[in-house]
Amino acid sequence: VSDQFLCYKTLKKCLKAIPEHKTNEDGIIRPGEKRKLTDEQRLFLKTLNAELQKFNRFFISAEEDFVMKETKLEAAYRRVVNRDGTRAPRFTMERCRAACRALADFHGELVLMEHWVGLNYTALVKILKKHDKRSNLSLRSPFLISVLQQPFYSTDVLSEIITKTEARFRKLNAMMPEGGLPVELQRREGAREHREEKEDESESDSSDGEGDKSQGPQDRTKAAMECWDGLKNSDSCKRPLGDIPSVFAKKPKP
């Protein structure tokens, strides 16, 4: 997945090739002034659009996989928990622990994907800001409006699956007599939820939106990592971190 992040270095090279814009003597580009695209600007736009298509292809494919996996995990969950929340007739502690481990793994993949969206959005904002400072063509506002309509930014389905997974994990954890989610991790999870509520209240304070999108997913990813560390040491839910696809753990280096 490392190659599915924004190719920031490539875009910076394209950006450096764009001649710095020239202004009038008073330092202002007048509204009626012609702004013909240079070959370098066309290459930058072409590369940027190619990155968006790459994001969309990867996200759509991953989302389809998540939906199918969630369906399979729901079947395993229903083997131990009835729809009214009571223990199913086929309930065994072994099945409960297996389902809990599977949900922990799945939750980690989900929040890391959510983090992937946030990181790529932030990288787009930064490279567009750099472009607008250098070029006579203002791209950031119109391009980000287009980004908001892109499939990779539409995370409603992903967020819904995360919510379901968290609720099921908590339910299974509560059904274990001992060795479920450690008390310390429950405290951390409560602190994370409180932090997210405060972030929601203060959201949209920034005019360009930079950083707002990624803060929540970053906290959720950190909480997921802490959860895995605790589960690794738990008798009921052991989870080798090696199961996590290493590509998900990589971050772009802008």
Side-chain angles (χ1 to χ4, degrees):
V1 177
S2 59
D3 60 340
Q4 299 301 327
F5 286 101
L6 184 77
C7 292
Y8 199 83
K9 289 184 179 179
T10 301
L11 285 165
K12 280 189 73 174
K13 287 181 180 179
C14 294
L15 194 57
K16 287 180 180 179
I18 297 175
E20 292 192 39
H21 70 272
K22 296 179 180 180
T23 59
N24 298 299
E25 294 179 359
D26 56 4
I28 299 174
I29 299 177
R30 296 188 175 86
E33 190 175 344
K34 293 183 179 179
R35 302 179 184 182
K36 186 177 180 181
L37 286 179
T38 64
D39 292 339
E40 293 82 4
Q41 287 175 327
R42 290 192 182 93
L43 178 60
F44 179 82
L45 282 171
K46 182 179 179 181
T47 305
L48 202 57
N49 282 313
E51 290 296 290
L52 277 187
Q53 295 306 313
K54 179 182 73 175
F55 294 163
N56 290 335
R57 287 193 299 269
F58 174 72
F59 184 82
I60 290 172
S61 176
E63 189 176 60
E64 290 174 352
D65 290 342
F66 287 149
V67 170
M68 291 187 289
K69 192 168 185 178
E70 191 271 335
T71 301
K72 292 180 181 178
L73 289 174
E74 182 181 13
Y77 177 76
R78 291 302 171 198
R79 282 196 287 270
V80 293
V81 181
N82 292 320
R83 294 193 178 277
D84 60 1
T86 60
R87 290 189 177 188
R90 299 173 64 184
F91 177 91
T92 65
M93 192 56 64
E94 182 180 353
R95 283 177 177 167
C96 185
R97 290 169 179 168
C100 197
R101 285 195 300 270
L103 286 171
D105 288 347
F106 187 46
H107 180 266
E109 295 177 12
L110 292 169
V111 294
L112 287 171
M113 174 57 74
E114 190 180 40
H115 196 186
W116 174 87
V117 173
L119 286 172
N120 279 311
Y121 175 82
T122 300
L124 281 171
V125 171
K126 289 183 176 180
I127 197 66
L128 287 168
K129 183 182 287 187
K130 288 181 181 293
H131 172 274
D132 287 4
K133 286 182 179 179
R134 184 177 184 87
S135 174
N136 65 341
L137 179 66
S138 181
L139 283 180
R140 188 175 62 167
S141 294
F143 202 88
L144 289 180
I145 290 174
S146 173
V147 168
L148 296 179
Q149 309 301 321
Q150 298 298 320
F152 91 93
Y153 195 83
S154 303
T155 57
D156 291 344
V157 173
L158 181 63
S159 297
E160 182 180 351
I161 295 175
I162 289 175
T163 300
K164 286 182 180 179
T165 302
E166 290 174 346
R168 288 169 182 169
F169 180 84
R170 292 192 190 99
K171 181 63 180 178
L172 291 175
N173 182 73
M175 300 176 84
M176 294 187 214
E178 293 179 359
L181 188 64
V183 175
E184 174 64 16
L185 292 181
Q186 291 182 12
R187 184 189 66 77
R188 289 176 181 173
E189 185 179 54
R192 173 181 63 80
E193 291 175 351
H194 177 68
R195 206 164 45 236
E196 288 180 350
E197 288 177 1
K198 292 181 69 177
E199 286 165 5
D200 289 340
E201 291 174 359
S202 61
E203 195 173 14
S204 301
D205 288 343
S206 172
S207 59
D208 59 12
E210 187 172 345
D212 288 344
K213 180 64 182 176
S214 62
Q215 186 62 35
Q218 287 174 351
D219 287 342
R220 299 184 77 164
T221 302
K222 184 177 179 180
M225 293 297 187
E226 291 172 345
C227 179
W228 292 331
D229 289 339
L231 291 172
K232 222 171 60 163
N233 299 322
S234 170
D235 292 334
S236 64
C237 296
K238 292 184 180 179
R239 183 189 189 290
L241 288 176
D243 287 352
I244 305 174
S246 59
V247 289
F248 271 102
K250 295 181 180 179
K251 294 182 180 179
K253 297 180 179 180

